[in-house]
Amino acid sequence: MDLPAVALDDFDLSDFEFWVADRAFREGAFKTLRDTPGLQFYTERVIEGFPFPPGPGYYALARHEDVWAVSRNAPLFCSGQGSNIGDLPQEMNEFFGSMINMDDPKHFRLRSIVSKGFTPKEISRVEQYVHEKAERLVDRVLDKFPERECDFVEHIAAPLPLEIVCDMMGIPEEDTSRIFGWTNVILGAADPEFGGNYEALMVSALDMFQYAQELGENRRAHPTDDITSIMMNAEVDGEQLTPQEFGSFFILLVVAGNETTRNAISHGMKALTDFPEQRELWWNDFETHTRTAVDEIVRWATPVVHFRRTATADTEIGGQELHAGDKVVMFYSSANCDERVFDDPYRFDVTRPLQPPQAGFGAGGPHFCLGANLARREISVMFDEIRRRLPDLRITGEPDYLQSNFINGIKHLPCAWS
Ligand code: HEM
């Protein structure tokens, strides 16, 4: 991609229009931020329909080095005051964000309990059915679309992560479409197609919270072999999860586990269509290249565009003086295209080395994605299934992008195969 030269004055990261602008323009803007010494400060705007006043503004972190430095220094850059740009009342931070909006010791306690559902043993149990699910999904597609074309997002990328998370948590099959609807509204709050307002977001979150509390209480009383039962009955220092804590964690998990992985798969398929020689390289020697190809897909897609931290003391980052209480926003999307770190970052390369690491799952530190290994597995199994059964599947039109500054989402993506 040839990046246009974009001057600092030509864009404002707080302007929603920026996030629906042409991709090359946005990438050019982030290149300018990476190349400009210090950090740029952006004021926050009133968000239509969002009932809280704008916060004091934030500094944008665009360089890989700065994003990693902040992410790994949790005592100095905390999450407990919120991890999205806007400020919410404290109770709402934890209600919506669960552990992602907590600091130690609270974060450590909660992560220790829920990690019991993510042990290698549990994940390998889940992995066994990832393959089975992907196989059934492709069966369904072949059966349902004899004309050999469909919406890749709706029929291929979205169902797998959703079904896996629901299965893991012990959610009955008949409830998965309800869960899907709730997650769409919560993460697509800024996009009119998904409800697009704060009220709809609250209704969905409360419905899902209540659903989860009931599920948690049920599994505490009648444990099965699902991860909800493991979490609800696990103890750390003699303490168990409360149903409220489980409710909030469930919202985080279901949203985090779904929307991210499906967008990685969708962007990955688009990249494999746009770079056919990379598809050929990977598919001709699948096992050899899978580990790097999957991380390259996550770098390329960067499904989560940013997370925020707040400075707990006066400090300095990227040559910029910061004061306690200043907000810094880590733009993973920019870190993942930092030309200081990645050779020719706008080239999709399934053999790209794993070091230095890409920041799609976070940039190290205590909040690093709990589901990274599961997500990697889902992505590789999905592409393996496509490779074997729909080998010439290609994207046939332009993606319909989600309007969001937080999730790099694709809502619809036409595809065809012969
Ligand atoms: C390609 C797919 C995925 C991407 C790109 C992704 C990305 C991220 C990112 C950027 C973070 C924040 C890291 C930080 O602040 O340091 C995160 C945290 C998290 N992710 Fe993922 N994620 C993915 C899949 C999943 C899956 C499949 C699950 C679970 C089923 C999951 C569960 C979580 C949880 C629970 C956290 C919060 C961890 C904490 O606060 O301690 N993610 N993820």
Side-chain angles (χ1 to χ4, degrees):
M1 187 190 303
D2 284 331
L3 298 189
V6 180
L8 280 179
D9 287 348
D10 289 347
F11 65 94
D12 176 355
L13 297 187
S14 291
D15 182 354
F16 200 69
E17 288 302 310
F18 175 79
W19 295 97
V20 292
D22 171 58
R23 173 156 183 234
F25 175 82
R26 281 186 281 144
E27 294 301 333
F30 275 108
K31 178 167 187 344
T32 303
L33 287 178
R34 290 193 292 274
D35 291 344
T36 307
L39 303 177
Q40 294 302 303
F41 184 80
Y42 291 94
T43 52
E44 288 170 67
R45 299 187 174 189
V46 176
I47 302 172
E48 211 187 315
F50 184 73
F52 304 107
Y58 56 92
Y59 289 95
L61 300 169
R63 290 178 286 268
H64 189 274
E65 184 185 356
D66 297 343
V67 168
W68 281 80
V70 164
S71 186
R72 283 190 293 187
N73 193 344
L76 193 52
F77 294 102
C78 73
S79 299
Q81 295 179 41
S83 58
N84 287 114
I85 296 177
D87 296 314
L88 291 176
Q90 189 55 28
E91 331 74 73
M92 285 183 65
N93 268 337
E94 289 188 11
F95 171 72
F96 275 120
S98 176
M99 66 208 265
I100 212 155
N101 287 340
M102 288 178 191
D103 298 309
D104 288 348
K106 255 182 163 174
H107 174 261
F108 181 77
R109 170 184 167 270
L110 197 57
R111 185 146 172 150
S112 306
I113 296 179
V114 301
S115 295
K116 298 199 188 296
F118 283 82
T119 56
K121 187 170 145 233
E122 284 312 315
I123 294 304
S124 72
R125 204 172 60 84
V126 174
E127 276 176 7
Q128 286 166 13
Y129 58 74
V130 174
H131 202 264
E132 230 173 83
K133 290 251 175 230
E135 211 173 299
R136 266 196 276 151
L137 194 155
V138 173
D139 287 345
R140 261 192 335 244
V141 166
L142 288 172
D143 208 42
K144 203 167 162 189
F145 300 100
E147 70 281 19
R148 295 163 192 263
E149 49 186 50
C150 71
D151 180 349
F152 186 82
V153 177
E154 191 182 338
H155 301 290
I156 299 181
L160 183 76
L162 174 72
E163 288 178 16
I164 299 292
V165 164
C166 288
D167 243 43
M168 266 172 71
M169 302 311 282
I171 294 165
E173 225 169 291
E174 62 271 19
D175 290 346
T176 50
S177 60
R178 260 203 293 171
I179 303 277
F180 194 43
W182 289 329
T183 64
N184 271 339
V185 175
I186 293 171
L187 273 184
D191 192 301
E193 184 176 333
F194 297 125
N197 65 55
Y198 181 75
E199 227 169 74
L201 183 148
M202 280 310 289
V203 169
S204 287
L206 286 169
D207 284 350
M208 194 142 110
F209 182 72
Q210 195 184 346
Y211 180 95
Q213 272 190 314
E214 283 166 18
L215 180 74
E217 276 164 14
N218 175 292
R219 293 304 198 276
R220 179 161 287 158
H222 313 284
T224 65
D225 64 350
D226 58 36
I227 288 181
T228 302
S229 304
I230 295 173
M231 287 178 188
M232 289 306 291
N233 294 289
E235 282 188 13
V236 167
D237 295 336
E239 275 190 72
Q240 289 188 324
L241 276 185
T242 65
Q244 288 79 0
E245 283 174 324
F246 179 71
S248 288
F249 175 70
F250 181 87
I251 296 180
L252 169 66
L253 191 73
V254 170
V255 173
N258 264 321
E259 309 280 334
T260 50
T261 314
R262 84 149 107 139
N263 285 314
I265 295 172
S266 300
H267 283 282
M269 196 65 237
K270 171 89 172 87
L272 291 169
T273 303
D274 293 346
F275 298 84
E277 77 294 349
Q278 293 297 314
R279 177 205 299 243
E280 208 180 313
L281 182 63
W282 185 17
W283 288 5
N284 284 342
D285 195 354
F286 195 77
E287 291 304 321
T288 305
H289 299 307
T290 288
R291 182 70 183 86
T292 49
V294 168
D295 259 50
E296 177 68 348
I297 286 174
V298 175
R299 182 191 76 87
W300 188 258
T302 315
V304 179
V305 176
H306 68 255
F307 268 124
R308 184 253 280 198
R309 301 288 190 261
T310 307
T312 57
D314 293 355
T315 183
E316 181 264 316
I317 198 91
Q320 178 73 46
E321 209 178 286
L322 295 175
H323 299 290
D326 281 346
K327 300 203 257 188
V328 287
V329 176
M330 304 175 287
F331 285 95
Y332 303 124
S333 49
S334 176
N336 274 346
C337 288
D338 190 338
E339 41 292 280
R340 292 156 194 75
V341 173
F342 300 108
D343 181 35
D344 201 357
Y346 295 100
R347 183 170 45 88
F348 178 72
D349 175 359
V350 296
T351 65
R352 191 178 287 280
L354 296 172
Q355 292 299 329
Q358 57 86 18
F361 290 118
H367 291 276
F368 187 79
C369 179
L370 184 63
N373 283 335
L374 175 61
R376 288 188 178 107
R377 182 72 186 152
E378 289 180 31
I379 296 167
S380 68
V381 167
M382 190 72 252
F383 282 109
D384 194 18
E385 201 59 29
I386 292 173
R387 173 185 72 104
R388 290 189 299 109
R389 308 201 32 217
L390 301 164
D392 72 343
L393 184 143
R394 64 215 169 270
I395 301 306
T396 51
E398 278 310 297
D400 178 7
Y401 291 106
L402 181 74
Q403 296 179 20
S404 168
N405 67 354
F406 177 49
I407 293 294
N408 184 21
I410 299 182
K411 291 188 291 184
H412 305 288
L413 192 60
C415 74
W417 60 93
S418 55

